[in-house]
Structure formats: C-alpha cells, structure tokens
Amino acid sequence: MALTLFDTDEYRPPVWKSYLYQLQQEAPHPRRVTCTCEVENRPKYYGREFHGMISREEADQLLSVAEGSYLIRESQRQPGTYTLALRFGSQTRNFRLYYDGKHFVGEKRFESIHDLVTDGLITLYIETKAAEYIAKMTINPIYEHIGYTTLNREPARKKHMPTLRDAHDGKESTGEDEVAEKRLTSLVRRATLKENEHIPKYEKVHNFKVHTFRGPHWCEYCANFMWGLIAQGVKCADCGLNVHKQCSKMVPNDCKPDLKHVKKVYSCDLTTLVKAHFTKRPMVVDMCIREIESRGLNSEGLYRVSGFSDLIEDVKMAFDRDGEKADISVNMYEDINIITGALKLYFRDLPIPLITYDAYPKFIESAKTTDPDEQLEILHEALKLLPPAHCETLRYLMAHLKRVTLHEKENLMNAENLGIVFGPTLMRAPELDAMAALNDIRHLQVKPFLNSALTWTITRPLFLDIASTPQSLLFPAGANLPCVALLESRQNFIGITWGPGAQHCPAFPAMVR
C-alpha cells in the first residue's frame, strides 16, 4: 500500500484490501459424508451425516475422499456426546459438538451443521494460510489517516489528506471507484463530520457488539476483509463502526454516536447522548431546568412533591420520540411537578449514574477515612474519575439547585431537603455481594453522607474566586458537614468535591496547587 496526498481536505475513501477475501473464495467447500444405513437413536437435530458410534479410525477412512468432508459420530468413550469429524489439511480434525437450539463448537452458533462447517473451513483456511498477515493487520491502520483524527482539523486550515492506494495501482480512478466513493459508511460519516468548536470534545469508548454482516464487509480500522459466515466482527452500537474483534482493542476512545443508532433519550448513556446531539449536557436536563426556573421556583415542595406518574411517563416518551423538539411548556403540562418528576426520572434511569460506579469506591474509601486531609484528597481523586460530560451536568445541576434554595421562603425547599431528594438519585452502589453492600449501609451510612454533601454544595456559591474569598466563608467555623468543591483550575469552583470544615482543612491550599 502507498499513500497518495491530495491538496484539499475532501474525504477520499480507502481502497479495501482484497487478500483475505480472495482466500475466503479459495477455502474448501463442505462435503457431507452420508451414512448409507439406518442408525438407531439418531438425535432429531442431526441428518444423514450422523454415523452413530464409530471409531476415529473409521471416521478418518470415510473422510479421506476429499478436503472439506465431514460427518458426525457418537463418542465411544463418552456415549451421549457427539463429535464433528472434519477433513482439513490432509488430516481429520475432531471437535466436540453441542446443541442448545443451535449447533456450536465454540462461541459462534449456527442454524445448521452445513453453515457451521462452512464457517469452520473458511476460518481454518484463512488462519492457516495468512497467520502472519493477520498478526500484522493492526500495523499502519487506515483509521489513523481517515478516521476520527480528521475531525480535529481546523476548518480554515488546509492540510494534505493521505488516502490509501495500492502500490501497483497507477491508473486514474474509474467509474467503479466513483461508486465506491459515494458508498456511505460510518467511516465516511465520521470523516466528513464538522466538529462544533463550542462543544467540549468528550472522550467516549466505543460500544462494540458481536455482529453478523450480510454480504462482504471490510474492517474500518485495518481495511482488511472480515471473513467468515456469521459473527465476522464487531459493530459499535452507537456510531456504527465495523471492525475485526482484534482490531477493536486498538480503536481509540473517540466514538461519535450517530442518531440513527441512538434511538432514545432516557436510559441512554449520558456521554453517548450528548455526543450524538452535539451538546454540552443532555437536552432533558437543560430543557427541564429552564422550564422549572421560568415558572416553578416559587412552587411549594418543588422536587419533593411528586407529579402524576402517567404524565411524567408522557414527558419521557416525548423526549424519546422528539428529542429537543419535545413540548414541555405550560400549555402541555401545567403542573410543574410533572417536569421535576421527569428530570428526576432521567437521572434515575441513567445506566451509569451521574456520580459513576468508577467513582463510587473512592467515595466509600473516603467515608472510611478518619483523617480530614486524607479524606479531602481521596474525594478530590474520586471526582477526577467522573467523565467530563457527567462533571459538566453535575455542575449545571448544582447551580440550579442553588437557585432553588434562594426561593426557600416560597418553595420551602432548603438545601437539606434537596439533598434528601437528590442524594440516592445521583449516586448508586455498583454491583456488590450481599455482605459488602450490607457493610456499606451499616457502617458508612452512605445516603446520609451524600445528602449532607449535597446540602453543603447547594448552600455555597459554585463560582468563587479562591484568591479573594476568605477561607472562613469557604469553610465556616463549626461546620460539621462535608464541603463540596471540584476544582477546574486554581481560581474557580465548577462542581463538587468533599472535605471537612475550615478549621480542619489545612490541605485545601495544597489541593488548589
């Protein structure tokens, strides 16, 4: 392969590598060796390829007629178990055969024995003939030249765009090439997307799932053919990227979710949602908070009083169906408690809580720590574990809840009440064994700990100039509640982290540094 440089930033598709495709075409075809006599106790899910209880030697003799020949026999050593005998490479190979509604010898499951043998012969042939080639597939991937890295270019800047060409190909592009260029794949979509400079570049891991591709497909990381009959590779459920299973381990965490794959808003991973919609925060959070602040800050029992559950479900379905076009105005939902209920439901439905499972153990560790300085340091580390989209959403929510408390006389919702409402909604324990979970609840009292932390967060300004704010205001004397402050830089609070009162917090300046 050789690189050809172009003078414009126009996307040029790769030339897919055909070597593995040619090998798949050359692979031996399956040849069923049928049994000429009736076999007693033949399982109903096997056909005439079942030969009953015969020896390895007999199977080897029957299969010697041609490459790709196969039969099924019952094991003489373990009656009731079955073996697929397959001729490949001038020798007979034996595989333990299973059936659970589908036939399988490994991870892949097949509707028929014929399909299983076809896929097996392709895999054996390619992995035998091209073992060294496959081992080096991930070297010099096309992904580095035309993948997500192209998204980070400045639009005004003109750079040379490398496109892969075969070294022996000196011809001008043909009509077939033009058709190939128009073929829209996830790789084309990513390479032609324009990044909005106002939206944070959140990192996101690809959501790869094993996938069966209909018709020939090529890996969008290494440009090699994805061989086999079924489950040839993996596909990102969020952006549609198609790659080999082994190549998926090399793909950077730069998933750009496509709305045609992200089909809902609720119960969708938070980072996936914001990247799919090119927003800083989930539109549910922004729209609900705007609506609440425009007409609900003086509503008595705001967030504490529940709205009608059927109407809350209506709001959820509206967001899932219409996204940012969902109508949650007073004309549709006069009761503001329906909107607050929809916002709380969004946080409860997150597959990964706003305060993530990764951060949870650190919070628990800090709760076990008795030294105030060490506790502050551990909690600061915990908040570093939050993904940027989670951190931004948490910051925005805390600022909103602060504004809610400013109307405490009217809505009767002080910081403590809001902490009780939001504490268990924003942070949930990961899957723990029963004893570990019991210890967390019994000894650490996580929920009161979190409620107190949120209480402190809401009662303090979120944006403070540390250099000019007296420490007595940041950590008032006699404060027994954990304080909350995530540092974006040396100067500003932007979110939350936890620590003790001022008189116990000599490590605070060190944390700022």
Side-chain angles (χ1 to χ4, degrees):
M1 303 295 288
L3 291 178
T4 301
L5 298 180
F6 293 89
D7 292 332
T8 70
D9 284 343
E10 182 183 355
Y11 169 75
R12 301 295 182 94
V15 173
W16 305 113
K17 304 171 188 177
S18 61
Y19 175 55
L20 297 180
Y21 177 74
Q22 292 168 356
L23 287 183
Q24 174 161 311
Q25 299 300 100
E26 296 169 6
H29 296 285
R31 298 169 180 267
R32 184 173 73 154
V33 176
T34 58
C35 185
T36 56
C37 58
E38 286 298 323
V39 179
E40 293 185 3
N41 301 321
R42 181 176 66 193
K44 62 182 180 180
Y45 40 82
Y46 296 139
R48 302 290 300 214
E49 69 274 2
F50 183 74
H51 287 249
M53 195 176 288
I54 63 174
S55 67
R56 285 184 175 229
E57 291 73 20
E58 290 175 290
D60 187 49
Q61 188 174 0
L62 289 168
L63 295 174
S64 61
V65 292
E67 283 282 286
S69 300
Y70 72 93
L71 59 81
I72 298 172
R73 63 183 179 85
E74 185 175 2
S75 173
Q76 292 179 324
R77 295 180 180 179
Q78 296 178 290
T81 62
Y82 305 99
T83 299
L84 172 66
L86 175 65
R87 191 74 172 180
F88 179 81
S90 302
Q91 60 181 335
T92 300
R93 305 195 180 203
N94 295 279
F95 304 90
R96 176 67 64 84
L97 188 60
Y98 302 91
Y99 182 80
D100 63 355
K102 291 188 177 181
H103 304 278
F104 63 99
V105 297
E107 292 181 358
K108 295 184 179 182
R109 284 165 163 70
F110 299 84
E111 297 290 345
S112 69
I113 292 294
H114 183 272
D115 287 349
L116 186 155
V117 174
T118 302
D119 186 84
L121 287 169
I122 291 171
T123 301
L124 286 170
Y125 188 79
I126 289 179
E127 292 183 354
T128 300
K129 293 283 187 180
E132 186 176 350
Y133 183 90
I134 291 171
K136 296 179 179 179
M137 279 196 316
T138 56
I139 300 174
N140 298 322
I142 63 167
Y143 194 88
E144 293 182 0
H145 303 300
I146 55 178
Y148 283 167
T149 52
T150 61
L151 298 176
N152 297 325
R153 295 172 298 163
E154 303 219 357
R157 226 197 244 159
K158 296 292 183 182
K159 291 184 180 178
H160 291 297
M161 177 76 163
T163 300
L164 296 170
R165 300 289 181 197
D166 285 319
H168 56 77
D169 185 9
K171 300 177 182 179
E172 295 294 324
S173 59
T174 64
E176 292 181 359
D177 293 332
E178 291 176 4
V179 172
E181 287 192 19
K182 293 178 181 177
R183 196 170 123 201
L184 185 63
T185 66
S186 62
L187 194 63
V188 176
R189 184 186 70 82
R190 289 194 310 278
T192 54
L193 276 174
K194 296 300 181 185
E195 192 76 63
N196 187 333
E197 61 183 13
H198 299 296
I199 303 301
K201 293 179 174 63
Y202 295 146
E203 182 180 273
K204 182 188 178 310
V205 178
H206 288 273
N207 183 19
F208 286 121
K209 307 286 185 185
V210 175
H211 190 77
T212 293
F213 299 95
R214 303 300 177 189
H217 268 72
W218 275 256
C219 175
E220 295 181 34
Y221 182 79
C222 70
N224 281 289
F225 179 67
M226 302 171 78
W227 66 90
L229 202 62
I230 68 167
Q232 304 96 327
V234 293
K235 183 185 188 80
C236 178
D238 297 332
C239 73
L241 182 69
N242 305 320
V243 295
H244 292 111
K245 188 175 181 180
Q246 61 265 47
C247 290
S248 67
K249 301 171 184 176
M250 310 297 293
V251 177
N253 297 335
D254 53 5
C255 178
K256 301 285 182 186
D258 189 347
L259 283 175
K260 72 180 180 182
H261 298 291
V262 181
K263 300 185 183 297
K264 58 184 179 180
V265 172
Y266 278 69
S267 303
C268 177
D269 172 67
L270 192 149
T271 302
T272 299
L273 187 68
V274 298
K275 287 180 74 69
H277 289 270
F278 298 99
T279 57
K280 293 173 67 176
R281 297 173 296 273
M283 87 281 287
V284 180
V285 177
D286 279 7
M287 291 175 64
C288 286
I289 286 178
R290 280 200 303 267
E291 193 67 25
I292 293 163
E293 294 193 354
S294 69
R295 61 184 173 99
L297 288 178
N298 293 328
S299 177
E300 184 175 330
L302 189 67
Y303 286 113
R304 179 177 54 79
V305 176
S306 299
F308 188 45
S309 59
D310 285 356
L311 292 178
I312 291 173
E313 200 65 28
D314 283 348
V315 174
K316 173 183 175 179
M317 288 190 293
F319 275 114
D320 283 341
R321 182 182 63 249
D322 303 325
E324 61 187 11
K325 295 181 180 178
D327 185 1
I328 60 171
S329 67
V330 67
N331 296 327
M332 285 295 294
Y333 304 101
E334 185 177 354
D335 183 4
I336 196 63
N337 297 310
I338 294 167
I339 309 303
T340 60
L343 180 60
K344 290 186 292 182
L345 179 62
Y346 173 76
F347 287 120
R348 283 199 304 273
D349 279 358
L350 284 174
I352 300 174
L354 189 60
I355 297 177
T356 62
Y357 295 125
D358 286 342
Y360 182 88
K362 279 289 184 183
F363 282 112
I364 298 304
E365 182 185 348
S366 70
K368 293 179 179 178
T369 304
T370 55
D371 180 77
D373 295 347
E374 188 179 351
Q375 184 186 62
L376 183 63
E377 191 64 33
I378 293 171
L379 285 164
H380 185 57
E381 291 174 8
L383 285 163
K384 288 180 181 178
L385 297 174
L386 290 181
H390 285 242
C391 185
E392 166 59 25
T393 304
L394 184 61
R395 182 202 65 78
Y396 190 73
L397 176 64
M398 291 298 106
H400 163 65
L401 295 181
K402 169 63 181 176
R403 289 190 288 273
V404 171
T405 63
L406 297 179
H407 296 259
E408 179 187 342
K409 288 183 180 180
E410 293 81 18
N411 59 38
L412 306 182
M413 292 300 291
N414 58 23
E416 183 179 359
N417 292 337
L418 291 170
I420 293 169
V421 170
F422 277 94
T425 302
L426 302 184
M427 187 172 94
R428 302 190 298 272
E431 293 298 325
L432 300 172
D433 61 75
M435 288 304 298
L438 183 62
N439 285 335
D440 280 353
I441 295 169
R442 233 162 93 194
H443 300 297
L444 301 179
Q445 298 182 343
V446 174
K447 192 178 292 187
F449 186 54
L450 178 61
N451 293 343
S452 297
L454 291 175
T455 299
W456 180 269
T457 310
I458 296 165
T459 55
R460 294 293 170 266
L462 291 174
F463 293 89
L464 293 176
D465 186 332
I466 294 172
S468 60
T469 304
Q471 200 172 33
S472 60
L473 291 181
L474 296 174
F475 304 100
N480 295 319
L481 297 176
C483 80
V484 191
L486 171 65
L487 299 171
E488 178 186 40
S489 65
R490 295 186 183 183
Q491 290 79 29
N492 298 319
F493 284 114
I494 63 162
I496 67 170
T497 189
W498 299 353
Q503 70 275 30
H504 303 299
C505 195
F508 180 73
M511 185 182 74
V512 175
R513 289 195 296 271

